[in-house]
Amino acid sequence: MKIQLLPSSFDSAGCATAEQRLTCFLIDDRVTVDAGSIAIALTDAQRNSVRDIIVTHPHMDHIASLPIFVDDLFAELREPVRIYATQEVVELLERDVFNDNVYPRFSEFENSYGRVMKYVPFRIREEFRVAHLRVIAVPVNHIVPTVGLLVSDGNSTVAFSSDTAETEEFWHVVNRAPRLNALLIETSFPNSMHKLAEASKHLTPAMLAKELGKLSHNSIDILAVHLKPAYRDTLISELAGLKIPSLKVMEPGRTYEW
Ligand SMILES: [Zn+2]
Ligand SMILES: [Zn+2]
């Protein structure tokens, strides 16, 4: 399985910068987990191959350019862009984003080939298919309804925490997986901002260390994501201070393979 954390900003030469402002993971050039930077960071080939998008929760950093992605492709889509989310999140997207005020209600629009966007609601704790992948969604502990994901292509399995503070069920599901290759887990705020992390339901490096104590898989890659750009340097040194050899900060724009 190939996974890229799409960049959300670029330097003056057009190269991806290390800061992560938006969340969008591209899997095998076909599927994304969240869609923050989907309209700004895909190549043309990827734009033409991605039709399946899993939305973990409706926060702006995870959906910011989703409407623009559908808009860009509107005339040429020969199949709908499929948005996989819990029914609860589908309703929030319809109420707050695709509401004819912020953006058109694309789920009701057609081009000359048919519908341009379609919701595919999934149930938590029940496996569902997204393109060539099998996915299980588990509620995590964030301030809006949010799911973590266990994603498998039949050979490799990768877990995505999405945005979360301390959580339990996610770890039970991850630990039950017969094999796990990688865990992509959030670490948003430095340790000095523990109170804000608790209030906004995110992790600090110290909280992350406690969460990793609940993980029973050994020798997997652990990649920290969702580092708030303003605290990135502090977060990197606090994460290094945990002295967990398999823990790295995920680099936007780099393709990882498991
Ligand atoms: Zn969030
Ligand atoms: Zn977020």
Side-chain angles (χ1 to χ4, degrees), residues 10-25:
F10 303 88
D11 65 19
S12 56
C15 298
T17 64
E19 293 87 14
Q20 186 196 345
R21 299 186 164 81
L22 303 168
T23 294
C24 182
F25 299 99

mmCIF file of all heavy atoms in Angstrom, residues 10-25:
data_model
loop_
_atom_site.group_PDB
_atom_site.id
_atom_site.type_symbol
_atom_site.label_atom_id
_atom_site.label_comp_id
_atom_site.label_asym_id
_atom_site.label_seq_id
_atom_site.Cartn_x
_atom_site.Cartn_y
_atom_site.Cartn_z
ATOM 1 N N PHE A 10 3.412 25.200 -0.299
ATOM 2 C CA PHE A 10 4.533 25.027 -1.233
ATOM 3 C C PHE A 10 5.477 26.227 -1.110
ATOM 4 O O PHE A 10 5.026 27.343 -0.828
ATOM 5 C CB PHE A 10 4.002 24.919 -2.673
ATOM 6 C CG PHE A 10 3.015 23.783 -2.825
ATOM 7 C CD1 PHE A 10 1.663 23.979 -2.572
ATOM 8 C CD2 PHE A 10 3.450 22.509 -3.157
ATOM 9 C CE1 PHE A 10 0.751 22.934 -2.669
ATOM 10 C CE2 PHE A 10 2.550 21.455 -3.248
ATOM 11 C CZ PHE A 10 1.199 21.669 -3.010
ATOM 12 N N ASP A 11 6.776 25.986 -1.326
ATOM 13 C CA ASP A 11 7.736 27.103 -1.245
ATOM 14 C C ASP A 11 7.787 27.856 -2.574
ATOM 15 O O ASP A 11 7.046 27.539 -3.508
ATOM 16 C CB ASP A 11 9.118 26.601 -0.787
ATOM 17 C CG ASP A 11 9.753 25.657 -1.795
ATOM 18 O OD1 ASP A 11 9.326 25.657 -2.976
ATOM 19 O OD2 ASP A 11 10.679 24.921 -1.408
ATOM 20 N N SER A 12 8.693 28.833 -2.661
ATOM 21 C CA SER A 12 8.699 29.702 -3.848
ATOM 22 C C SER A 12 9.077 28.935 -5.111
ATOM 23 O O SER A 12 8.774 29.352 -6.221
ATOM 24 C CB SER A 12 9.643 30.883 -3.627
ATOM 25 O OG SER A 12 10.921 30.377 -3.311
ATOM 26 N N ALA A 13 9.729 27.761 -4.939
ATOM 27 C CA ALA A 13 10.073 26.938 -6.107
ATOM 28 C C ALA A 13 8.965 25.937 -6.424
ATOM 29 O O ALA A 13 9.100 25.114 -7.324
ATOM 30 C CB ALA A 13 11.383 26.207 -5.844
ATOM 31 N N GLY A 14 7.884 25.988 -5.645
ATOM 32 C CA GLY A 14 6.768 25.072 -5.890
ATOM 33 C C GLY A 14 6.942 23.717 -5.222
ATOM 34 O O GLY A 14 6.163 22.800 -5.477
ATOM 35 N N CYS A 15 7.957 23.580 -4.354
ATOM 36 C CA CYS A 15 8.163 22.295 -3.671
ATOM 37 C C CYS A 15 7.346 22.248 -2.379
ATOM 38 O O CYS A 15 7.132 23.277 -1.739
ATOM 39 C CB CYS A 15 9.638 22.104 -3.331
ATOM 40 S SG CYS A 15 10.647 22.049 -4.813
ATOM 41 N N ALA A 16 6.912 21.043 -2.014
ATOM 42 C CA ALA A 16 6.116 20.869 -0.799
ATOM 43 C C ALA A 16 6.898 21.359 0.412
ATOM 44 O O ALA A 16 8.083 21.071 0.548
ATOM 45 C CB ALA A 16 5.768 19.397 -0.631
ATOM 46 N N THR A 17 6.241 22.090 1.303
ATOM 47 C CA THR A 17 6.886 22.453 2.557
ATOM 48 C C THR A 17 6.549 21.392 3.603
ATOM 49 O O THR A 17 5.632 20.593 3.423
ATOM 50 C CB THR A 17 6.418 23.829 3.064
ATOM 51 O OG1 THR A 17 5.019 23.748 3.360
ATOM 52 C CG2 THR A 17 6.650 24.910 2.025
ATOM 53 N N ALA A 18 7.301 21.410 4.711
ATOM 54 C CA ALA A 18 7.147 20.363 5.724
ATOM 55 C C ALA A 18 5.925 20.570 6.605
ATOM 56 O O ALA A 18 5.464 19.646 7.262
ATOM 57 C CB ALA A 18 8.402 20.311 6.582
ATOM 58 N N GLU A 19 5.400 21.795 6.620
ATOM 59 C CA GLU A 19 4.272 22.054 7.525
ATOM 60 C C GLU A 19 3.006 21.379 7.011
ATOM 61 O O GLU A 19 2.730 21.393 5.817
ATOM 62 C CB GLU A 19 3.994 23.558 7.659
ATOM 63 C CG GLU A 19 5.081 24.333 8.358
ATOM 64 C CD GLU A 19 6.157 24.785 7.395
ATOM 65 O OE1 GLU A 19 5.929 24.719 6.172
ATOM 66 O OE2 GLU A 19 7.231 25.186 7.869
ATOM 67 N N GLN A 20 2.237 20.838 7.940
ATOM 68 C CA GLN A 20 0.958 20.240 7.566
ATOM 69 C C GLN A 20 -0.185 21.110 8.079
ATOM 70 O O GLN A 20 -0.444 21.173 9.270
ATOM 71 C CB GLN A 20 0.832 18.826 8.154
ATOM 72 C CG GLN A 20 -0.429 18.142 7.663
ATOM 73 C CD GLN A 20 -0.818 16.923 8.468
ATOM 74 O OE1 GLN A 20 -0.043 16.381 9.253
ATOM 75 N NE2 GLN A 20 -2.057 16.497 8.283
ATOM 76 N N ARG A 21 -0.846 21.779 7.158
ATOM 77 C CA ARG A 21 -1.972 22.638 7.544
ATOM 78 C C ARG A 21 -3.309 21.956 7.318
ATOM 79 O O ARG A 21 -4.298 22.260 7.963
ATOM 80 C CB ARG A 21 -1.922 23.937 6.740
ATOM 81 C CG ARG A 21 -0.652 24.704 7.001
ATOM 82 C CD ARG A 21 -0.609 26.068 6.344
ATOM 83 N NE ARG A 21 0.464 26.825 6.971
ATOM 84 C CZ ARG A 21 1.755 26.707 6.652
ATOM 85 N NH1 ARG A 21 2.140 25.890 5.703
ATOM 86 N NH2 ARG A 21 2.672 27.408 7.294
ATOM 87 N N LEU A 22 -3.318 21.065 6.333
ATOM 88 C CA LEU A 22 -4.556 20.382 5.940
ATOM 89 C C LEU A 22 -4.290 18.883 5.971
ATOM 90 O O LEU A 22 -3.146 18.459 5.845
ATOM 91 C CB LEU A 22 -4.949 20.805 4.521
ATOM 92 C CG LEU A 22 -5.149 22.308 4.290
ATOM 93 C CD1 LEU A 22 -5.230 22.601 2.801
ATOM 94 C CD2 LEU A 22 -6.393 22.801 5.003
ATOM 95 N N THR A 23 -5.352 18.099 6.124
ATOM 96 C CA THR A 23 -5.179 16.643 6.173
ATOM 97 C C THR A 23 -5.806 15.981 4.959
ATOM 98 O O THR A 23 -6.995 16.167 4.692
ATOM 99 C CB THR A 23 -5.813 16.070 7.463
ATOM 100 O OG1 THR A 23 -5.071 16.554 8.581
ATOM 101 C CG2 THR A 23 -5.774 14.548 7.460
ATOM 102 N N CYS A 24 -4.984 15.255 4.207
ATOM 103 C CA CYS A 24 -5.474 14.415 3.107
ATOM 104 C C CYS A 24 -4.406 13.367 2.828
ATOM 105 O O CYS A 24 -3.294 13.708 2.438
ATOM 106 C CB CYS A 24 -5.737 15.251 1.859
ATOM 107 S SG CYS A 24 -6.404 14.288 0.479
ATOM 108 N N PHE A 25 -4.741 12.097 3.069
ATOM 109 C CA PHE A 25 -3.828 10.994 2.784
ATOM 110 C C PHE A 25 -4.266 10.339 1.485
ATOM 111 O O PHE A 25 -5.417 9.925 1.362
ATOM 112 C CB PHE A 25 -3.857 9.949 3.900
ATOM 113 C CG PHE A 25 -3.443 10.474 5.237
ATOM 114 C CD1 PHE A 25 -4.400 10.838 6.182
ATOM 115 C CD2 PHE A 25 -2.096 10.614 5.571
ATOM 116 C CE1 PHE A 25 -4.033 11.324 7.431
ATOM 117 C CE2 PHE A 25 -1.720 11.102 6.812
ATOM 118 C CZ PHE A 25 -2.693 11.461 7.740
#
